């Protein structure tokens, strides 16, 4: 495929956000502090009560740490300078100040729960660089609901975590402020529940490709997709801190995006909000049942409580006694819910409501209706195999206990004459649709998989018989940037991937770097480290022929990334870049490589490289990423994605060996 369209004429893509300011009603405070009354005591606080603290804080540029507010044994609010190279946990360097420093506001609440009788600190915080005016007076609100611990600045929700346990308030509690920074502090029991401010015009985020939720520590986790009544839905596990929320238990839940034209996207209310301390959700799938749009998902409660304290033993006992799973309303049974459940959309688009029904003990259910109309499920994490039922609410029986093997997030889809099952990281199987269930062939062993760096990819058929692949690229633990590619299929059932034209990021005017590369050549990328690079490859006939595009930062080989393509042997790879030589050989998934790490890996058995072909590369650098995402499309039939921490591309080096490179062009991304 040769792409000849003008990138700058491409219609912009944007996302209508559901985010808005929040307001807190005015009411009498239990206790108030001021410069004239810097310290006080109060009583009447209940350990399980919600509470709210309002502060007027004057942020100042300062090198030393300052205590803004302190409630001994309960809460400390501080400002300090964070290490500009330390992205662990909170990713504060996502918003540096102009001088590169990272001043931080952080509020730490001490919570007590059975597994931590000595208590454990739960911080929420922000880099001050994310504020429009970091210095000066700001209103800070801290709110503990019993489920959420949230930081608001100037009515904007900027960080939160999900509680596990409660503070230990005394009969008399002392609190104090630094009056040189705080002009007023109020504490409220019970807390003031925030109310969303309705905006007449929604906020907009440009682009959907490589998108992450707004914030310094917010990421896209596992993705589940569906196409229903002309609308494409993306459900994704909202991730803060790379799985480290709720003291490392994840605290994931499904957020929801959708579009009808792939140009304008809408952010809906969360499909499965966290409403209890025991809740942390795992991957599932959207599906239709009884003409209703449903979303299955797992309750990963065993991350928090031992299996024996959950409802899993009850469910397995029922299955072992009856040969099918039961149906349990978890809000009516003692014990902590765990296993498979689902929510139902009230309007066929969004407005999901939890059924609170446990229908299977597996903790990552992949529910779908197969082309024959049967309700099926691939069991993952805590179970395995293929299951079938006449109703979603229990009655599930195993129809193939050995396939798929479980443990991974597997998805089924049929495309034409072929059936496919894809895993979250490595597994891929296919067969003729007319063949029996035991005829699935391992495509990874044959080197015929289409893994491209996405994690837990989901496949969905949209209009006109097109299929989309969506997943996330790992940047911060169990989270990263959303990525969507289009899939292609050969008559023999082989699947490849290409960019989806509708959502390719908008670019500035294109400029030529070279008509033909005759010797190793270096080019400056220009004013932007985020750009679209295109070039044509003349493969030649020598099996040793290859070419490479080397992406270099300010420190040359440090963190450099090389995209290397060997057309005649049908192989491509990402490797550590070297200015003098091609990088060494990397392994494909078939050879034991790690595609899902999205760092160094190879793909093999490429198609379309035996004749002249085009390569397109998008390099996107964002301070929040802390590096560059590199998305490469080869011959319009295979894609490869990688993330390079600490790489901000400033130069390109192109080299070839018995392979031609022509028509090298570059254009900066607009966003």
């Amino acid at each position: 495929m040769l792409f000849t369209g003008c990138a700058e004429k491409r219609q912009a893509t944007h996302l209508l956000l559901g985010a808005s300011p929040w307001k807190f009603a005015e009411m009498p405070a239990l206790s108030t502090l001021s410069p004239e009354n810097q310290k006080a005591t109060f009583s009447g606080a209940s350990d399980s009560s919600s509470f709210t603290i309002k502060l007027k804080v004057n942020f100042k540029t300062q090198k030393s740490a300052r205590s803004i507010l302190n409630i001994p044994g309960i809460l400390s609010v501080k400002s300090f300078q964070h290490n500009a190279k330390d992205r662990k946990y909170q990713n504060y360097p996502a918003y540096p100040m102009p001088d590169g420093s990272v001043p931080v506001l952080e509020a730490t609440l001490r919570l007590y729960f059975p597994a931590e009788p000595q208590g454990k600190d739960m911080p929420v915080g922000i880099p001050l660089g994310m504020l429009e005016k970091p210095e000066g007076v700001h209103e800070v609100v801290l709110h503990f609901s019993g489920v959420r611990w949230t930081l608001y600045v100037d009515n904007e929700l900027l960080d939160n975590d999900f509680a596990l346990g409660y503070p230990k308030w005394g009969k008399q509690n002392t609190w104090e402020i630094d009056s040189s920074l705080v002009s007023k502090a109020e504490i409220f029991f019970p807390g003031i529940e925030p109310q969303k401010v309705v905006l007449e015009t929604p906020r907009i985020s440009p682009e959907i490709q490589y998108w992450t939720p707004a914030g310094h520590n917010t990421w896209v986790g596992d993705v589940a997709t569906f196409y229903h009544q002309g609308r494409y839905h993306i459900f994704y596990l909202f991730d803060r801190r790379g799985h480290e929320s709720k003291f490392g238990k994840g605290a994931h839940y499904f957020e929801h995006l959708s579009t009808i034209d792939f140009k304008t996207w809408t952010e809906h209310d969360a499909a499965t909000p966290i409403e209890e301390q025991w809740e942390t959700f795992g991957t599932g799938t959207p599906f239709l049942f009884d003409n209703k749009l449903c979303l299955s998902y797992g309750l990963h409660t065993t991350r928090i409580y031992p299996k024996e304290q959950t409802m899993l033993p009850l469910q397995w006992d029922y299955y072992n006694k009856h040969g099918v799973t039961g149906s349990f309303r978890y809000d009516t049974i003692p014990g902590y819910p765990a296993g498979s459940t689902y929510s139902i959309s009230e309007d066929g688009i969004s407005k999901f409501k939890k059924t609170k029904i446990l229908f299977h003990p597996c903790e990552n259910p992949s529910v779908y209706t197969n082309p024959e109309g049967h309700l099926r499920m691939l069991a993952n994490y805590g179970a395995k195999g293929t299951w079938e039922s006449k109703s979603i609410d229990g009655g599930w029986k195993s129809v193939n206990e050995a396939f798929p093997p479980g443990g991974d997030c597997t998805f089924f889809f049929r495309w034409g004459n072929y059936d496919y099952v894809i895993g979250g990281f490595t597994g891929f199987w296919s067969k003729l649709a007319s063949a029996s269930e035991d005829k699935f062939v391992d495509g990874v062993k044959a080197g015929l998989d289409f893994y491209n760096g996405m994690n837990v990819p989901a496949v969905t058929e949209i209009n006109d018989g097109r299929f989309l692949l969506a997943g996330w690229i790992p940047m911060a633990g169990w989270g990263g940037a959303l990525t969507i590619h289009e899939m292609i299929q050969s008559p023999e059932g082989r699947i490849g991937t290409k960019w989806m034209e509708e959502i390719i990021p908008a670019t500035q005017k294109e400029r030529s770097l070279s008509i033909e590369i005759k010797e190793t050549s270096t080019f400056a990328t220009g004013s932007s480290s985020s750009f679209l690079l295109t070039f044509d490859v003349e493969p030649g006939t020598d099996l040793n022929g290859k070419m490479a595009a080397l992406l270099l930062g300010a420190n040359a080989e440090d963190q450099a990334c090389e995209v290397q393509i060997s057309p005649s042997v049908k192989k491509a790879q990402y490797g550590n870049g070297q200015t003098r030589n091609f990088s060494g050989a990397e392994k494909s998934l078939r050879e034991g490589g790690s595609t899902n790490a999205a760092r160094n890996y190879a793909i093999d058995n490429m198609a379309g490289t035996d004749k002249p072909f085009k390569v397109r590369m998008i390099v996107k650098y964002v301070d929040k990423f802390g590096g560059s995402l590199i998305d490469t499309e080869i011959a319009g039939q295979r894609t490869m994605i990688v993330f390079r921490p600490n790489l901000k591309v400033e130069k390109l080096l192109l080299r070839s060996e018995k392979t031609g490179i022509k028509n090298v062009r570059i254009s900066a991304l607009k966003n």
Side-chain angles (χ1 to χ4, degrees):
M1 181 190 76
L2 292 179
F3 176 78
T4 57
C6 295
E8 59 267 30
K9 294 181 180 179
R10 188 178 294 115
Q11 182 184 348
T13 303
H14 61 274
L15 169 62
L16 304 178
L17 298 171
S20 70
W22 297 80
K23 62 181 179 180
F24 290 80
E26 295 295 329
M27 59 184 355
L30 177 64
S31 181
T32 301
L33 299 179
S34 66
E36 296 73 33
N37 183 29
Q38 303 172 32
K39 187 175 182 179
T41 60
F42 59 88
S43 59
S46 167
D47 289 352
S48 61
S49 175
S50 62
F51 70 89
T52 302
I53 294 176
K54 292 183 178 181
L55 300 165
K56 287 282 188 181
V57 184
N58 186 9
F59 294 134
K60 301 176 181 178
T61 300
Q62 50 201 14
K63 298 297 181 182
S64 59
R66 298 284 295 273
S67 175
I68 295 173
L69 177 147
N70 185 44
I71 307 177
I74 303 288
L75 171 67
S76 68
V77 182
K78 297 180 179 180
S79 63
F80 57 90
Q81 287 287 341
H82 185 76
N83 184 345
K85 295 183 179 180
D86 181 7
R87 290 182 173 269
K88 294 178 181 178
Y89 195 65
Q90 280 286 68
N91 197 36
Y92 287 140
Y95 288 89
M97 298 289 279
D99 65 357
S101 65
V102 184
V104 163
L105 167 70
E106 192 168 87
T108 301
L109 181 66
R110 194 157 187 82
L111 299 175
Y112 297 81
F113 54 102
E116 293 286 346
Q118 302 304 313
K120 197 166 184 178
D121 290 338
M122 177 172 281
V124 291
I126 61 164
L128 296 183
M130 72 187 301
L131 302 177
E132 185 176 350
K133 296 181 179 179
E135 294 189 333
V137 177
H138 295 268
E139 183 177 57
V140 176
V141 177
L142 300 167
H143 180 65
F144 177 77
S145 70
V147 176
R148 292 175 177 83
W149 170 228
T150 309
L151 168 66
Y152 301 81
V153 179
D154 299 331
N155 302 316
E156 300 289 344
L157 193 165
L158 297 184
D159 194 20
N160 72 343
D161 204 339
F162 293 89
L164 194 55
Y166 295 90
K168 280 189 177 179
W169 297 99
K171 291 183 179 180
Q172 292 289 321
N173 301 278
T174 300
W175 71 321
E176 60 183 325
I177 57 171
D178 181 341
S179 61
S180 68
L181 299 176
V182 181
S183 59
K184 187 177 182 180
E186 299 173 290
I187 190 166
F188 304 85
F189 285 93
I192 308 170
E193 284 301 313
Q195 301 296 317
K196 252 188 173 183
V197 175
V198 178
L199 298 176
E200 292 185 4
T201 303
R203 295 173 175 175
I204 294 177
S205 175
E207 310 294 358
I208 191 69
Q209 189 72 297
Y210 321 126
W211 177 82
T212 63
H216 60 289
N217 58 4
T218 47
W219 308 100
V220 172
D222 292 357
V223 169
T225 58
F226 200 64
Y227 191 72
H228 176 55
Q229 295 182 345
R231 182 178 294 270
Y232 179 67
H233 296 264
I234 292 178
F235 301 91
Y236 70 92
L237 291 182
F238 181 90
D239 178 274
R240 281 194 192 267
R241 306 175 182 87
H243 207 291
E244 291 303 313
S245 289
K246 194 174 282 196
F247 299 131
K249 310 304 180 183
H252 292 136
Y253 62 95
F254 272 114
E255 288 281 4
H256 180 201
L257 313 173
S258 77
T259 182
I260 58 175
D261 61 5
F262 296 97
K263 304 307 290 185
T264 299
W265 297 68
T266 300
E267 183 177 42
H268 303 282
D269 289 340
T272 61
I274 290 180
E275 299 168 306
E276 303 286 348
Q277 284 201 1
W278 55 263
E279 285 183 313
T280 179
F281 302 140
T283 313
T285 50
F287 62 98
L288 281 181
F289 179 70
D290 196 22
N291 292 319
K292 295 177 181 178
L293 177 60
C294 305
L295 176 64
S296 68
Y297 51 99
L299 304 179
H300 278 210
T301 320
T302 50
R303 293 176 182 170
I304 303 173
Y305 298 100
K307 180 180 178 180
E308 293 72 27
Q309 294 182 25
T310 72
M311 297 178 189
L312 290 176
L314 172 68
Q315 295 179 77
W316 281 118
D317 287 346
Y318 186 97
Y319 173 74
N320 291 332
K321 183 180 296 185
H322 300 280
V324 296
T325 66
S327 179
F328 303 93
R329 276 291 303 245
Y330 64 67
D331 56 344
T332 64
I333 303 171
Y336 294 106
S340 299
T341 186
Y342 70 107
S343 293
I344 300 176
S345 170
E346 295 181 338
D347 61 2
I349 297 175
S350 58
K351 298 180 180 178
F352 283 83
K353 185 177 181 180
K354 297 173 183 174
T355 62
K356 300 184 179 180
I357 294 174
L358 295 172
F359 63 85
H360 195 284
C362 92
E363 296 177 61
N364 274 355
S366 181
V367 178
Y368 64 99
T369 301
N370 72 6
E372 288 72 38
H374 301 137
L375 192 62
R376 285 200 157 191
M377 181 184 72
L378 305 181
N380 308 282
Y381 189 66
K384 62 180 181 178
T386 305
W387 299 68
E388 194 168 287
S389 178
K390 293 182 179 179
S391 170
I392 182 67
D393 296 333
W396 290 89
K397 62 180 179 179
S398 175
V399 294
N400 188 341
E401 63 181 21
F403 179 82
D408 207 343
C409 303
T410 47
F411 300 94
F412 167 90
F413 64 100
R414 176 172 292 175
W415 191 348
N417 296 324
Y418 292 88
D419 286 345
Y420 304 90
V421 172
I422 183 173
F425 304 105
T426 59
F428 171 64
W429 302 269
S430 64
K431 71 174 183 65
L432 282 168
S434 58
S436 59
E437 295 279 333
D438 60 349
K439 299 300 182 182
F440 274 103
V441 175
D442 190 329
V444 171
K445 287 184 178 180
L448 299 176
D449 64 274
F450 53 88
Y451 286 98
N452 64 353
M454 289 188 197
N455 280 230
V456 194
V459 177
T460 295
E461 182 179 5
I462 62 170
N463 56 309
D464 300 326
R466 301 167 70 188
F467 280 72
L468 301 185
L469 181 74
W472 56 278
I473 306 304
M475 293 177 172
W478 208 263
L482 173 68
T483 307
I484 306 167
H485 283 176
E486 187 167 350
M487 304 169 73
I488 59 175
Q489 184 191 47
S490 73
E492 299 78 26
R494 175 78 189 278
I495 287 180
T497 52
K498 64 179 182 178
W499 290 354
M500 186 181 189
E501 295 296 329
E502 291 95 324
I503 61 171
I504 295 174
T507 58
Q508 306 286 352
K509 187 175 181 180
E510 190 178 61
R511 60 188 177 92
S512 175
L513 295 181
S514 176
I515 300 300
E516 184 174 5
I517 301 295
K518 296 183 178 180
E519 58 185 23
T520 299
S521 303
T522 303
F523 307 93
T525 59
S527 59
S528 176
S529 291
S530 297
F531 54 87
L532 167 65
L533 177 72
T534 67
F535 52 87
D536 299 325
V537 177
E538 300 279 350
T541 58
D542 196 305
L543 289 177
N544 295 318
K546 56 186 174 182
M547 61 74 54
L550 181 59
L551 305 171
L552 299 160
N555 298 319
E557 292 186 1
D558 186 28
Q559 308 299 333
C561 178
E562 182 197 76
V563 181
Q564 185 183 127
I565 303 173
S566 301
S568 295
V569 294
K570 301 179 180 180
K571 193 164 187 173
Q573 68 173 43
Y574 285 112
N576 293 329
Q578 304 175 53
T579 55
R580 295 187 178 182
N581 301 295
F582 286 93
S583 61
E586 298 292 339
K587 293 181 180 180
S588 66
L589 191 58
R590 174 180 59 88
E591 297 166 329
S594 181
T595 307
N596 65 286
R599 299 301 188 263
N600 289 345
Y601 66 91
I603 59 173
D604 45 20
N605 291 320
M606 292 194 304
T609 60
D610 55 342
K611 55 186 177 182
F613 61 92
K614 182 173 286 292
V615 175
R616 297 193 286 179
M617 296 173 56
I618 286 179
V619 177
K620 187 173 181 68
Y621 175 86
V622 180
D623 280 337
K624 177 179 178 178
F625 293 176
S628 295
L629 183 151
I630 305 162
D631 186 354
T632 303
E633 180 196 65
I634 304 170
Q637 299 188 53
R638 284 301 300 272
T639 57
M640 301 175 66
I641 314 168
V642 72
F643 174 63
R644 273 291 190 276
N646 303 312
L647 174 62
K648 186 175 184 179
V649 180
E650 295 185 2
K651 292 187 295 184
L652 305 171
L653 185 152
L654 295 173
R655 61 161 61 96
S656 64
E657 185 175 281
K658 302 175 182 178
T659 300
I661 305 174
K662 295 182 177 181
N663 303 320
V664 184
R665 305 182 72 81
I666 191 171
S667 50
L669 301 189
K670 285 186 176 180
N671 301 297

